[in-house]
Amino acid sequence: MRETIIGMNVSLAANLLNEGQVVAVPTETVYGLAANALNVSAVMDIFRIKGRPEFDPLIVHCLNKEQAFSYALNLPDLAFKLAESFWPGPLTLVLQSNGEIPSEVTSGLPTVALRVPSHPLFQELLNLLNFPLAAPSANPFGYVSPTTAEHVYAQLGSKIPYILNGGPCQYGLESTIVGFDKDLPVILRLGALTLKEIKTICPKLKIQLKSLSNPKSPGQLSVHYAPSKKVIFIHNQDVPPPSHSNMAFLSFGGQPIPEGYTELSLSKNGDYFEAARNLYKLLRTFDSGPWSELVTTALPEDDSGLAMAINDRLTRAAAQSITHL
Ligand code: TXA
Ligand code: MG
């Protein structure tokens, strides 16, 4: 493969996708690794490039809700209402599939995950195409999601022809995934669209993030979003002093931290949206930096529910989780 090019040429990206190639694209959440969702061999290339197991289905990205719903059957009323309120945006709906999206994309499930992204370059790109794009996050399977074109290049450079550069992602956290149990909305993955926002449309809902025997959403697997070095998640707020000299601490707000850690701050003034935006960038800074371990604690719960989404990613990133010291 030729060297990967990073650029802002939307028609070049469209041409490559038309040829059945895999291209990295910016979204408002994280960068995606995209291919024509209706082209099985292009979709299989996504799995190969990402090293992703074939049982883990992909999200189908559509231009608008009309296109998205054209792949679904038996829509609950609340699916319409959620789409109406939050598309384009960081919401993925898992709906009954009408079978038009190939089973390679849905991993043979009877459902399909649909999303209408709001990033202007992604919208421009979808406008040039006459098919939707299957796209997981553009990272090797299990690793931290990319929030800049450079992050994508660091891991997947040389494996794909083109990275469409849309700048740093607005949210920095993946979309919130909502499925349905009959008509009851079920949150399958916490993400950039906050629970508070979802509850304005769906006051009654269920949160089902972990289902060990039968993961409905395999992103529920507990080791995920992880740097290659050790992350220690401390459940209580009493942080022990560092046990050696090259430890980093992922902090939030004015959190007091014991002397001896290098501080990596999610948000100096305790802004949860800023923390979400910085999370993956800082996990990558840690991974490529001189430190051997990263210590972190749970962010205090907030009204929006974003703390819960960030804490979910932190516990999944942690190789080791300590409750009592
Ligand atoms: O923000 C996002 O959602 C990003 C950007 C690129 O759009 N995409 C993303 O994709 O995070 P990925 O593949 O890293 O995570 C998608 C999750 C996976 O956990 C997958 O198992 C779940 O969506 N999923 C896909 N289809 C599903 C289905 N039919 N039922 C349940 N879960 C599904
Ligand atoms: Mg992912």
Side-chain angles (χ1 to χ4, degrees), residues 241-261:
S243 52
H244 53 84
S245 62
N246 62 345
M247 289 174 76
F249 191 91
L250 190 67
S251 68
F252 178 71
Q255 184 176 17
I257 57 171
E259 226 170 280
Y261 287 104

Side-chain angles (χ1 to χ4, degrees), residues 28-29 59-60 78-94 113-117 174-179 187 189 192-193 198:
E28 67 280 20
T29 58
I59 296 175
V60 177
L78 285 173
F80 276 112
K81 290 195 176 133
L82 285 169
E84 195 65 15
S85 308
F86 302 120
W87 276 353
L91 166 72
T92 295
L93 293 175
V94 172
L114 297 161
R115 149 160 151 74
V116 177
E174 296 81 358
S175 62
T176 303
I177 303 182
V178 181
I187 309 286
R189 179 175 72 182
L193 181 66
I198 293 177

